[in-house]
Amino acid sequence: MDNKKIIKWLLWVIFLVLALGMISVVAFCTGAVKISIETIISSIFKDGSPTSSTILLSIRLPRIILAIAVGGGLALVGVLLQGVFRNPLVEPYTLGISGGGCLGVCLGIVTSLGGKFGIFSLPLLGFFGSMAVVWVLYVLSMRKNVLRMKGVLLSGVMISYITSSLIMLIMAMARVTDLHGIVFWTMGSLEESNPLLMKLVMLISLAGLIISYFLALDLNGMSLGEEAAMHLGINVKRSKGIIFFLASFLTGSFVAVSGIIGFVGLVVPHFMRIVVGRDHRILLISSYLGGAVFLVFCDTLARVVISPLELPVGVITGLIGGVLFIYVLSKNYKTL
Amino acid sequence: MSAISIKDLYCGYDTFLLSDINLEVESGQILGIIGPNGSGKTTLLKAITGLLKPRRGEILLDDNNLFSLSRRELARKIAVVAANSDELSLSVEEYVLLGRIPHYGAFQFLESDKDFAIARQAMEQTKVSALKNHSILKISAGERQLTSLARAICQDPSLFLLDEPTSHLDIAHQIGTLNLIGDLHQQKKFTVIMVLHDLNLAAQYCQRLVLLNQGKIVKIGTPSQVLTSDLIEKVYKTPVIVKKDPTSQIPYMFLQGKRFQKPRIS
């Protein structure tokens, strides 16, 4: 009985890893510059032409890695927040956590704060922006020492409106030279030129996955409601604190390198719950892998749809995710 | 030995306070908490589970102060079946297995064969085995109550707390649920504390009753001591007729509609 479940879970993980491998190879081989398979193989294993090997190894490969880190991480944050709030519609974007991070980054661009701590200043500001939103959400939903989860989605949507208005205000007053950077962050793009930052995000994202596994059983218990979870011996307050911190830290880091990429945390966990079930012990890893697959796919699409120009990847995830959001809202989401 | 011993307890919220609660519950007893709506029954249960911190007084669980125990230690001793649950879509089996969480080892991540065996047995006892792959949102209220019981059994507690286990159930499920609790109590000798609204069911299934009113204990005793027409009329402000069941000698209460009430001279 036990073994059957484990084998099923392992098969899903293997399947998703294979899918991720496949989509990554496809992403590696497609792009504005046509590079034939032979050239690709020769530039990896032998000394091929320097141009194609530069395109492949310093442009396409880092981008795929970043898509995996950000896509997986955002889906993971979605699962964590949905587990705490017991609502399948919450995710960093709908709660305004991404918006807060982006506001922090934009403030950094237009003020002198952006250069204070070298390349880490924008990620740090993104992190503080996200933390600020999580804190506001926490205060808003706290009543008499009980966290009321019901109004939190509405508060989150309102916060994301406020942050996007503030970002527009900053754009209206910004210098033309800063505008490009701001637009880049508000629309979301995986074009990150700094390899150090990219490696850091990959590490943060993987660390998030590992830490989330210490919370998997607590999240399972919380699916019965907070009081019931406490009756099962779960330290709900502590777990919730860790999850809020982790979610804002991860989201802040992702926003800082790739801007707002919305709805990944909504779409992916939603489908994963349908295929692998609600048990967080499998849902966390499969959403991570699924999020990676989804974002690599969307990014490839973004690169080729109007090639040689490029769409911001946030536009594609937003289109797919927004439609799904409406669909989920129109159904009784509890039974999903 | 007392399973629960409550001394001079004051506990509650800004708007409602339980006051001056003194209660000893012997180990292996079935205790019923009765009282009108808003009399503090659920608040008392929450105090016993440690969800509400007392303002004054103390609660001893097997002679240990309740708050010296961690939530995890508490969860191995106390299982709670709450009145209104708000679950997400889980299968019956997944739901029942969650009851094993307090017993997981420090680095245990998956259910052991023992956990599965205990869950299987609990589902057989509560007769929900056939539903194990159904979603708990799609089974009937009665089946859901049985599933909650199965989850509580999995916790392997020494104290069972039930908040209105028979509400929203038809008479067959009411009796079925309480019979099951009685049978389990016979087998495992755990202590049961349950909040009941139906006084006649409380009289039948509980060895002792606590009558609460406005946050205070009015009376503690056997059903025949507590369920007297004077006391019930005073507390519930509703006239009742109490007769004894001819076979069990347990008090039975009759409610009277207005048109059957005799005019009284007071």
Side-chain angles (χ1 to χ4, degrees):
Chain A
M1 208 163 159
D2 198 357
N3 285 339
K4 238 201 290 184
K5 190 161 78 179
I6 286 291
I7 289 166
K8 206 179 90 185
W9 286 358
L10 275 178
L11 285 176
W12 271 116
V13 171
I14 292 167
F15 169 76
L16 286 165
V17 168
L18 287 178
L20 182 58
M22 257 158 54
I23 193 80
S24 302
V25 170
V26 171
F28 197 62
C29 300
T30 45
V33 180
K34 295 267 176 305
I35 301 173
S36 67
I37 303 282
E38 296 92 69
T39 332
I40 289 172
I41 293 167
S42 71
S43 55
I44 296 171
F45 296 106
K46 289 169 268 169
D47 296 321
S49 83
T51 3
S52 50
S53 96
T54 310
I55 290 174
L56 289 171
L57 298 179
S58 355
I59 298 177
R60 286 190 193 165
L61 185 64
R63 214 171 152 143
I64 291 168
I65 292 172
L66 193 64
I68 292 172
V70 172
L74 284 173
L76 185 75
V77 174
V79 175
L80 291 173
L81 291 173
Q82 284 149 20
V84 172
F85 287 107
R86 297 158 44 75
N87 182 331
L89 294 178
V90 299
E91 63 123 13
Y93 184 63
T94 53
L95 285 185
I97 304 176
S98 300
C102 188
L103 182 61
V105 171
C106 290
L107 275 175
I109 295 173
V110 293
T111 60
S112 57
L113 278 174
K116 278 242 160 63
F117 311 99
I119 57 156
F120 295 113
S121 33
L122 292 184
L124 273 174
L125 285 165
F127 168 64
F128 287 127
S130 301
M131 279 296 268
V133 170
V134 168
W135 183 77
V136 170
L137 279 174
Y138 190 78
V139 170
L140 280 179
S141 51
M142 243 358 215
R143 289 277 183 283
K144 288 179 186 163
N145 291 321
V146 183
L147 206 52
R148 290 179 324 148
M149 298 303 190
K150 290 222 170 89
V152 85
L153 181 62
L154 210 56
S155 317
V157 170
M158 289 306 129
I159 290 174
S160 71
Y161 270 120
I162 295 170
T163 54
S164 68
S165 303
L166 289 173
I167 291 166
M168 279 193 260
L169 179 73
I170 292 174
M171 285 168 81
M173 302 197 306
R175 291 182 299 270
V176 183
T177 44
D178 293 336
L179 262 181
H180 175 73
I182 295 174
V183 170
F184 169 90
W185 256 287
T186 50
M187 293 215 231
S189 165
L190 293 163
E191 212 179 320
E192 173 57 51
S193 49
N194 193 313
L196 178 64
L197 217 52
M198 192 200 76
K199 279 178 199 148
L200 195 67
V201 166
M202 190 73 224
L203 276 180
I204 289 173
S205 169
L206 283 176
L209 179 63
I210 292 165
I211 294 168
S212 73
Y213 262 84
F214 288 96
L215 301 158
L217 284 172
D218 293 9
L219 283 164
N220 279 352
M222 278 190 241
S223 62
L224 301 180
E226 281 185 35
E227 277 193 8
M230 285 169 85
H231 292 150
L232 287 176
I234 292 163
N235 191 336
V236 173
K237 211 171 167 187
R238 189 189 62 193
S239 307
K240 240 163 38 178
I242 298 172
I243 288 171
F244 281 151
F245 186 82
L246 189 64
S248 46
F249 185 74
L250 291 175
T251 311
S253 317
F254 299 149
V255 168
V257 293
S258 59
I260 297 181
I261 298 177
F263 292 120
V264 177
L266 180 84
V267 178
V268 176
H270 177 76
F271 281 111
M272 285 304 156
R273 261 191 286 270
I274 293 171
V275 293
V276 303
R278 280 187 170 273
D279 195 318
H280 286 85
R281 289 172 292 187
I282 178 68
L283 189 59
L284 287 166
I285 178 75
S286 50
S287 293
Y288 188 92
L289 292 168
V293 171
F294 179 68
L295 199 57
V296 173
F297 169 76
C298 286
D299 188 49
T300 311
L301 216 57
R303 286 191 290 132
V304 298
V305 167
I306 51 164
S307 156
L309 291 176
E310 215 177 83
L311 276 175
V313 69
V315 171
I316 293 181
T317 60
L319 278 174
I320 300 174
V323 171
L324 186 83
F325 187 90
I326 295 168
Y327 171 74
V328 174
L329 257 186
S330 68
K331 291 186 69 151
N332 179 6
Y333 57 72
K334 260 199 155 178
T335 54
L336 289 171
Chain B
M1 195 184 81
S2 307
I4 284 274
S5 158
I6 301 174
K7 287 171 191 157
D8 297 322
L9 179 76
Y10 286 74
C11 175
Y13 315 93
D14 293 335
T15 48
F16 177 80
L17 199 64
L18 280 177
S19 48
D20 198 19
I21 303 286
N22 282 288
L23 180 64
E24 297 271 332
V25 187
E26 272 170 48
S27 175
Q29 204 171 46
I30 302 188
L31 178 88
I33 303 176
I34 55 172
N37 286 336
S39 59
K41 304 184 293 294
T42 302
T43 312
L44 182 56
L45 274 196
K46 281 193 178 172
I48 296 172
T49 56
L51 285 186
L52 273 177
K53 285 235 154 63
R55 303 199 174 178
R56 231 169 80 189
E58 60 172 3
I59 301 172
L60 301 179
L61 176 69
D62 297 330
D63 299 325
N64 298 306
N65 190 313
L66 196 67
F67 291 94
S68 68
L69 300 168
S70 70
R71 281 244 65 99
R72 202 175 151 79
E73 286 170 309
L74 278 179
R76 293 184 195 176
K77 286 172 183 274
I78 306 178
V80 182
V81 177
N84 17 353
S85 45
D86 175 30
E87 289 106 359
L88 300 171
S89 175
L90 294 168
S91 76
V92 165
E93 189 184 25
E94 282 174 316
Y95 178 84
V96 172
L97 276 168
L98 288 178
R100 292 305 297 164
I101 286 182
H103 294 277
Y104 276 27
F107 293 99
Q108 188 180 348
F109 183 64
L110 295 161
E111 293 90 354
S112 65
D113 289 344
K114 187 183 161 213
D115 294 326
F116 277 109
I118 290 171
R120 201 160 41 226
Q121 202 196 350
M123 286 191 287
E124 274 161 25
Q125 278 174 324
T126 54
K127 301 185 181 64
V128 292
S129 302
L131 301 168
K132 72 177 188 184
N133 294 321
H134 288 52
S135 161
I136 51 165
L137 298 182
K138 289 181 180 149
I139 59 180
S140 75
E143 289 162 344
R144 219 161 139 183
Q145 189 62 32
L146 293 172
T147 309
S148 300
L149 278 175
R151 197 209 70 220
I153 293 167
C154 273
Q155 265 176 270
D156 196 18
S158 56
L159 174 62
F160 245 82
L161 297 179
L162 302 119
D163 194 356
E164 294 179 35
T166 56
S167 58
H168 311 302
L169 302 187
D170 64 33
I171 48 168
H173 275 106
Q174 287 186 12
I175 291 289
T177 302
L178 289 172
N179 281 341
L180 182 66
I181 293 166
D183 290 349
L184 288 168
H185 171 258
Q186 285 274 311
Q187 270 172 38
K188 305 206 171 172
K189 301 290 173 211
F190 44 56
T191 315
V192 178
I193 300 180
M194 53 184 169
V195 167
L196 285 172
H197 263 303
D198 189 316
L199 300 177
N200 293 322
L201 288 177
Q204 277 198 50
Y205 286 94
C206 302
Q207 294 153 349
R208 272 171 93 219
L209 293 178
V210 174
L211 177 61
L212 286 175
N213 193 24
Q214 296 176 345
K216 289 192 168 67
I217 291 181
V218 179
K219 179 93 181 166
I220 305 175
T222 62
S224 341
Q225 288 167 339
V226 177
L227 300 173
T228 60
S229 54
D230 289 348
L231 204 53
I232 295 301
E233 277 192 39
K234 201 181 94 193
V235 169
Y236 285 87
K237 298 186 174 61
T238 304
V240 291
I241 293 172
V242 180
K243 299 269 187 217
K244 283 214 188 307
D245 181 302
T247 46
S248 63
Q249 297 301 310
I250 285 169
Y252 196 91
M253 244 143 305
F254 297 90
L255 295 174
Q256 291 171 288
K258 197 176 173 187
R259 65 192 176 115
F260 297 114
Q261 282 172 20
K262 285 179 196 148
R264 294 181 183 215
I265 305 143
S266 54

